[in-house]
Amino acid sequence: MFLLGFSQGMAVATSVARHIPETVDAVVGLSGFVVPIADDDAHADFFRDTYLKEHPLQMFWGRDPEDPVIPQAMVDATADWCVDHAEVTKVQYRGIGHGVSPQELGHIKEYLQHVVR
């Protein structure tokens, strides 16, 4: 199964993958972020990030570096999370703002054809 999410939908898609990672083949995240959680948070065990350190999540992350909606701190936190938990293909699409471009849709198709069989 693969999940696709745009904006906050990316947060939902990655949260599902983090909670039940063995059921998710890949996540496509568009103009969004990964939900941050502190290790000492009472709900930290909801996410199985330890599992993902050993079995990285296949992930496509497309975004505009000038996205006016997602704060840079969330982008940075997502990038940091990806380093330890995902095999991420990160592509930047200048000029799409907080949106999706036809070029990005083509890249998603290619990515899914390669990753999800």
Side-chain angles (χ1 to χ4, degrees), residues 12-94:
V12 173
T14 54
S15 291
V16 170
R18 293 169 72 189
H19 181 62
I20 51 172
E22 63 280 346
T23 65
V24 177
D25 297 308
V27 168
V28 172
L30 310 174
S31 299
F33 58 94
V34 172
V35 173
I37 191 161
D39 291 336
D40 62 351
D41 187 294
H43 302 288
D45 63 346
F46 179 80
F47 293 130
R48 295 182 48 213
D49 285 352
T50 302
Y51 177 92
L52 290 173
K53 284 186 177 188
E54 296 176 20
H55 307 91
L57 177 65
Q58 296 295 315
M59 184 172 155
F60 179 96
W61 181 23
R63 59 179 300 276
D64 183 338
E66 303 296 323
D67 186 324
V69 175
I70 306 300
Q72 189 61 46
M74 295 299 287
V75 172
D76 294 344
T78 299
D80 289 345
W81 181 87
C82 287
V83 168
D84 292 330
H85 303 95
E87 289 184 17
V88 65
T89 298
K90 182 180 176 186
V91 185
Q92 296 186 347
Y93 300 92
R94 294 199 175 276

Side-chain angles (χ1 to χ4, degrees), residues 2 25-28 57-61 87-90 104-117:
F2 82 92
D25 297 308
V27 168
V28 172
L57 177 65
Q58 296 295 315
M59 184 172 155
F60 179 96
W61 181 23
E87 289 184 17
V88 65
T89 298
K90 182 180 176 186
E104 185 175 21
L105 293 174
H107 289 159
I108 293 165
K109 178 182 175 185
E110 292 171 6
Y111 177 80
L112 290 175
Q113 287 173 333
H114 177 73
V115 172
V116 181
R117 300 180 191 264

